[in-house]
């Protein structure tokens, strides 16, 4: 008679949780790390979770925070639950005995700061945990709930949610077999932008020891720009942009108001500049307190130089958005010129793109400048800022291209996520890899997953450090290799760009006259 593996039970600071054993891992889902941010706590900082008596079943993911429905591709699922208990963590552990002291990897999801949740097949921590780590994922507020800037409301609530989740890890992860002295945060897209902000935040100091920032967006807002966006959201409700006025508004109604702004965001181009044309109404706010200054400025000044950092990007970041919009191969010269005028660093930068890529067709040129502005150059500049201040830094590029849709996606934005997690079936993986992942995908996934977990364990991913002299970069291709940074033309074009907080614009839209 075969005995069943007993369900693991762990005592946390709020009470005992009972998980389950799945695929050889102890898995705990939906553990509250903060109270539901509704009612008196709406638009407030996260408050510690209330304790419970007895044993709480931790078998299901917590409900998702309100998700934008206006993003199009990538919009998050609406939770079927009516529960407001969004702020929950999930843990995968190969050894929940509490004595293993394994390295801890804490994932922060992306989603344009508008959508995202920790459930779904892509972020399953089983494969990474099997490599000898304790994996943590969690929910945090997004959109207007997390980043809306309103008078009287603490700014950057999403970042404070992340700090609260990391405090939960510090206080509880030893009971799950993790080492609270070896915590690595890793995240992609908006999650990488959040990690860049956490590196600059005094409130996050000491909560993590290593960081992996995958495709860092270069958008952080000044208070004036963020307040103007907030006023537009409140205006959709006929209310002033204050916490007192907005606190009684339901979170989904606030989400709907933000979606209304998103639906006509290009109308704000004269005031909001690039973020209006990129459809990005929310981002971390350099408010002077929660986030004292932009991450690039903070790291150049030596902030977090004691934290070891990997920063990198995919080769063809923007291709995903071009394909999903049905514009691949259809971008006109006028559209490419408009993109260059709006997003290249000045007229000299636009001219340098044309001179540096004389054979580029309009689609290729638009993808190139958008990839650089959105993710490639912010990621590189974050690495350079950290390295210049004396921090231990590694860089990478994912150059292996997705085979789906005839290969047109290339090494697109988001492709790295299932490869790192080793979740090669279901979710985004099926879209970019096909129903059955090819052998090369398995090999690249093995290379990235082993590098990330080695870095979490001892700070060395297996290739040379990035230094501003040689700029050595790991390229994940069918055969991984290390070379000097592979996009010198773009690096030179953006060399003097500061990635400071974006301001309200008083300038006319800099489109070329045709």
């Amino acid at each position: 008679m075969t005995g069943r593996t007993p369900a693991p039970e762990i005592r946390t600071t709020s009470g005992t949780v009972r998980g389950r054993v799945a695929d050889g891992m102890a898995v705990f889902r939906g553990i509250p790390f903060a109270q539901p941010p509704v009612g008196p706590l709406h638009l407030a900082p996260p408050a510690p979770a209330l304790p419970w008596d007895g044993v709480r079943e931790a078998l299901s993911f917590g409900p998702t925070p309100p998700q934008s429905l206006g993003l199009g591709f990538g919009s998050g699922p609406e939770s079927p639950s009516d529960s407001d208990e969004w702020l929950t963590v999930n843990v995968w552990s190969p050894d929940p005995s509490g004595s293993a002291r394994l390295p801890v990897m804490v994932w922060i999801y992306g989603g344009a700061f508008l959508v995202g949740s920790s459930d779904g097949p892509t972020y399953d921590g089983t494969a990474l945990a099997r490599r000898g780590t304790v994996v943590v994922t969690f929910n945090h507020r997004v959109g207007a709930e997390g980043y809306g800037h309103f008078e009287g409301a603490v700014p950057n609530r999403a970042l404070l949610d992340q700090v609260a989740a990391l405090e939960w890890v510090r206080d509880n992860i030893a009971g799950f077999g993790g080492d609270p002295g070896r915590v690595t945060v890793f995240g992609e897209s908006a999650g990488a932008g959040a990690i860049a902000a956490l590196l600059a935040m005094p409130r996050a100091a000491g909560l993590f020891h290593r960081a992996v920032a995958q495709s860092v967006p270069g958008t952080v807002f000044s208070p004036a720009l963020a307040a103007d966006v907030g006023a537009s959201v409140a205006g959709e409700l006929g209310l002033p942009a204050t916490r007192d006025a907005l606190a009684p508004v339901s979170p989904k109604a606030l989400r709907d108001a933000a979606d209304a702004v998103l639906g006509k965001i290009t109308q704000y181009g004269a005031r909001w500049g690039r973020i209006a044309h990129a459809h990005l109404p929310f981002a971390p706010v350099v408010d002077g307190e929660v986030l004292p200054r932009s991450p690039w400025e903070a790291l150049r000044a030596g902030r977090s130089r004691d934290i070891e950092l990997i920063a990198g990007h995919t080769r063809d970041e923007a291709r995903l958005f071009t394909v999903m919009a049905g514009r691949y191969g259809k971008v006109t010269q006028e559209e490419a010129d408009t993109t260059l005028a709006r997003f290249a660093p000045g007229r000299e930068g636009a001219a340098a793109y044309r001179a540096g890529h004389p054979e580029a067709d309009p689609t290729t040129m638009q993808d190139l400048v958008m990839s650089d502005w959105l993710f490639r150059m912010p990621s590189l500049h974050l690495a350079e800022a950290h390295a210049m201040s004396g921090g231990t830094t590694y860089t990478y590029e994912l150059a292996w291209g997705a085979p789906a849709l005839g290969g047109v996606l290339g090494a697109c934005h988001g492709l790295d996520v299932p490869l790192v997690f080793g979740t090669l079936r279901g979710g985004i993986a099926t879209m970019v890899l096909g129903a059955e992942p090819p052998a090369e995908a398995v090999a690249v996934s093995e290379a990235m997953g082993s590098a990330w977990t080695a870095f979490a364990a001892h700070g060395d991913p297996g290739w040379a450090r990035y230094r501003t002299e040689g700029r050595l970069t790991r390229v994940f291709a069918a055969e991984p290799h290390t070379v000097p940074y592979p996009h010198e033309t773009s690096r030179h074009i953006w060399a003097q760009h500061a990635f400071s907080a974006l301001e309200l614009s008083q300038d006319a839209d800099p489109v070329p006259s045709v």
Side-chain angles (χ1 to χ4, degrees), residues 263-438:
K264 55 186 177 185
I265 193 169
T266 56
Q267 298 177 19
Y268 295 92
R271 295 214 307 273
W272 299 352
R274 291 167 165 173
I275 70 162
H277 298 293
H279 296 80
L280 296 172
F282 299 108
V285 182
V286 181
D287 64 289
E289 182 180 348
V290 176
L291 183 58
R293 47 187 170 175
S294 86
W296 297 268
E297 179 185 356
L299 265 62
R300 282 194 297 269
R303 182 83 199 174
S304 295
R305 71 160 59 93
D306 58 327
I307 293 176
E308 295 154 322
L309 173 67
I310 296 176
H313 53 72
T314 71
R315 184 190 60 205
D316 309 305
E317 292 278 5
R319 182 68 57 79
L320 175 71
F321 312 120
T322 302
V323 171
M324 291 293 96
R327 299 298 298 157
Y328 180 70
K330 300 178 182 178
V331 176
T332 66
Q333 188 63 54
E334 180 181 354
E335 289 171 325
D337 288 343
T338 296
T339 298
L340 277 169
R342 284 173 174 159
F343 293 98
R347 291 182 179 178
E348 298 82 0
Y353 271 108
R354 294 187 180 98
H357 304 275
E359 304 302 319
D361 61 74
T363 298
T364 300
M365 183 63 78
Q366 178 163 294
D367 280 354
L368 178 60
V369 69
M370 291 307 295
S371 293
D372 281 346
W373 178 74
L374 275 168
F375 303 114
R376 297 201 317 182
M377 294 304 104
S379 301
L380 178 65
H381 279 226
L382 194 75
E384 291 201 329
H386 195 248
M388 288 173 63
S389 71
T392 298
T393 313
Y394 301 88
T395 58
Y396 76 91
E397 176 180 75
L398 174 61
W400 182 81
L405 303 178
V408 299
L409 287 170
C412 65
H413 187 67
L415 176 60
D416 51 323
V417 178
L419 295 176
V420 166
F421 270 90
T423 51
L424 303 184
R425 292 175 176 83
I428 190 175
T430 297
M431 185 189 76
V432 296
L433 301 177
E436 185 63 27

Side-chain angles (χ1 to χ4, degrees), residues 45 69 95 136 165 196 216 222 230 266 285 297 320 361 388 443 463 500 503:
L69 304 177
D95 184 358
V136 178
V216 183
S222 70
T266 56
V285 182
E297 179 185 356
L320 175 71
D361 61 74
M388 288 173 63
W463 67 88
S500 54
E503 299 284 352

Side-chain angles (χ1 to χ4, degrees), residues 149-198:
H149 201 67
F150 310 116
E151 182 182 344
V154 65
N156 294 307
R157 294 172 297 280
L159 299 179
L160 295 178
D161 290 348
Q162 295 159 27
V163 168
L166 288 167
E167 290 172 339
W168 184 94
V169 169
R170 177 197 62 198
D171 296 341
N172 293 284
I173 206 63
F176 295 83
D179 182 355
R182 280 195 297 169
V183 174
T184 298
V185 291
F186 68 125
E188 184 263 352
S189 194
I195 287 172
L198 290 169

